[in-house]
Amino acid sequence: MLVLGIESTCDEAACAVVRDGREILSNVVSSQVDLHRMYGGVVPELACRRHVDVLIPVIEEALINSKTKLQTIDLIAVARGPGLVGALLIGLNAAKALSFALGKPLIGVNHIEAHLYASLMSAKTAIAFPCLGVVLSGGHTAMVVIRDLGDYQLIGQTVDDAIGEAFDKVAKMLHLPYPGGPEIERLARDGDPKTYAFRGGRVKERPLDFSFSGLKTAVLYTLQKGNIHPNDLAASFQEAAFQDVIAKSLRAAKLHECSSLVFGGGVTANQRLRYLFASAAPEMNLHWPTMEMTIDNAAMIAGLGFHTYKRKGPDDLSLDALTQMPLG
Ligand code: KG4
Ligand code: ZN
């Protein structure tokens, strides 16, 4: 089954063609980083307008790269949420138009679930369920027990900033460009993580929830005192955020008897995170997305769309965009 996937939840317009949920025939991503950088973050209105301009050429490029024709596509998959409503609508309407014009079924998928599917899709051998899904992105920080595709139990999430958002905000304090995550990682490479005693936040009576706003404020106060070393500050912040994620993930894995961890989201591109996890849990099976699948992309949407369609059947043209969307 050939699935054409469309992604436009935030500041990437993407299209991919994937066979049978796994084999990526093409994967085209048009990033808008250049557009939003001067504002220090994503401007929703500008993101929508850019999506309108680039989405059709992106779809055409994905078809050309896959050496397939629109007529041979069997299913149109689209990220219906969570995301910026205006941005979502561009992808959703493009998907509906294709579905209607071609007479091919339409399926809407969850962007966060797709980030986790990206790791399952990249895995060389099948991953045993239940496993623990850890989502670390610009908009979400969450842990879910994955019992099967489509069967998720949310067991922890952030009560304030998402982890990627905290990286972006700390980077801004250090006058680094957007997106800040890769910049912090770069600075931290030459820093000593033990210089400043930061810690991830704890949520009262909810040991598996996250809070990053206190950590962010601690960085701000340290900066305001002056005379800081940016590399050491970046390294100390990054280490505190990651040690918090690692401790809570391992605790959750133990509690829910998961021996495999499946990661998803932009922050999982960070090599220090991968190194720290591997050092802390050598006995666990850690499944990271390939680097091209860490960022927002449509291959994960098409891949997940295949399975969702098999399980639930098609959506119809009344499919809505959802700014918030629970997993499952
Ligand atoms: O998953 P994603 O592309 O978008 C959402 O669905 O939210 O994640 C983007 C986030 C940004 O906050 C970005 O700063 C962060 O991922 N990020 C990183 C790294 N690369 C991207 N954070 C830490 N280290 C990185 N290397
Ligand atoms: Zn994402």
Side-chain angles (χ1 to χ4, degrees), residues 111 115 137-139 164-165 167-168 179-182 185 265-267 269-270 295-296:
H111 174 88
H115 268 304
S137 79
E165 192 181 352
F167 269 76
D168 294 337
E185 179 178 16
V267 179
N270 190 296
I295 56 160
D296 285 350

Side-chain angles (χ1 to χ4, degrees), residues 136 141 163 166-167 170 184 188 191-202 209-219 222 231-249 267 270 272-273 276-277:
L136 304 171
T141 309
I163 184 167
F167 269 76
V170 167
I184 296 279
D192 178 359
K194 294 195 201 73
T195 312
Y196 303 100
F198 298 137
R199 248 189 33 179
R202 294 194 188 152
D209 277 349
F210 299 95
S211 166
F212 293 106
S213 80
L215 171 59
K216 187 188 64 189
T217 310
V219 172
T222 305
N231 297 77
D232 292 339
L233 190 80
S236 302
F237 159 74
Q238 175 176 269
E239 211 81 350
F242 288 166
Q243 292 299 0
D244 182 56
V245 169
I246 291 169
K248 286 171 183 167
S249 302
V267 179
N270 190 296
R272 180 73 183 164
L273 173 71
L276 289 174
F277 249 114

Side-chain angles (χ1 to χ4, degrees), residues 96-117:
K96 285 182 188 178
L98 284 173
S99 162
F100 182 68
L102 297 168
K104 295 293 162 79
L106 172 74
I107 187 80
V109 302
N110 183 314
H111 174 88
I112 301 301
E113 184 183 357
H115 268 304
L116 290 174
Y117 182 72

Side-chain angles (χ1 to χ4, degrees), residues 7 9-10 12 111-112 115 137-140 265-266 294-297 300:
E7 154 66 37
T9 55
C10 188
E12 263 96 24
H111 174 88
I112 301 301
H115 268 304
S137 79
H140 296 83
T294 59
I295 56 160
D296 285 350
N297 68 87
M300 65 185 192

